[in-house]
């Protein structure tokens, strides 16, 4: 099972294996406080896509389509997450985004669940 959580939220035992899926390290957060098991930058949206989207709600549908196309073109990183999902009961995808519903973690979670 995959779930999405803000990296700024406190870690919890139910998070399972914690994977940071941002290309940039979250501002103001130490590595100790982050409690991540893996930083998988390769699965994050490209810098160009991240800058274009800039977390603007009206662009989210187009962002989703473009990000899914990037994921289709990046099977190695996606397969790494799939393998983690097979070996851990819970994999938490950590994002630095403020909006809990309009971010790459949400898109990535849906992608992993619906694109075998």
């Amino acid at each position: 099972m995959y779930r999405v959580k803000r990296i700024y939220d406190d870690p919890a035992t139910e998070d399972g294996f914690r994977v940071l899926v941002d290309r940039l390290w979250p501002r103001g957060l130490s590595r100790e406080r982050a409690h991540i098991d893996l930083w998988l930058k390769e699965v994050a949206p490209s810098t160009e896509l991240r800058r274009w989207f800039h977390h603007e709600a009206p662009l989210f549908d187009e962002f989703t389509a473009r990000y899914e196309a990037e994921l289709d073109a990046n099977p190695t990183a996606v397969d790494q997450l799939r393998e983690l999902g097979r070996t851990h009961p819970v994999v938490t995808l950590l994002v630095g985004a403020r909006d809990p519903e309009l971010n790459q973690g949400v898109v990535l979670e849906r992608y992993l669940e619906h694109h075998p």
Side-chain angles (χ1 to χ4, degrees), residues 1-84:
M1 167 177 39
Y2 299 97
R3 63 173 58 165
V4 180
K5 185 174 182 178
R6 289 191 73 232
I7 192 157
Y8 297 104
D9 295 339
D10 291 333
T13 55
E14 60 269 9
D15 289 346
F17 196 87
R18 293 169 50 92
V19 182
L20 177 60
V21 293
D22 274 343
R23 196 163 293 277
L24 303 174
W25 186 262
R27 291 182 185 179
L29 188 67
S30 70
R31 291 190 186 265
E32 295 77 31
R33 190 171 152 240
H35 294 280
I36 65 167
D37 297 301
L38 176 66
W39 182 10
L40 191 57
K41 299 178 209 179
E42 298 81 10
V43 78
S46 65
T47 300
E48 297 79 17
L49 182 56
R50 178 181 50 82
R51 287 180 179 159
W52 172 83
F53 174 46
H54 200 47
H55 297 280
E56 294 181 27
L59 301 176
F60 189 68
D61 289 340
E62 180 65 20
F63 168 78
T64 297
R66 291 181 186 192
Y67 183 35
E68 286 179 349
E70 288 186 358
L71 292 170
D72 287 342
N74 189 6
T76 303
V78 172
D79 288 346
Q80 188 173 354
L81 276 177
R82 289 191 200 289
E83 182 60 29
L84 289 170

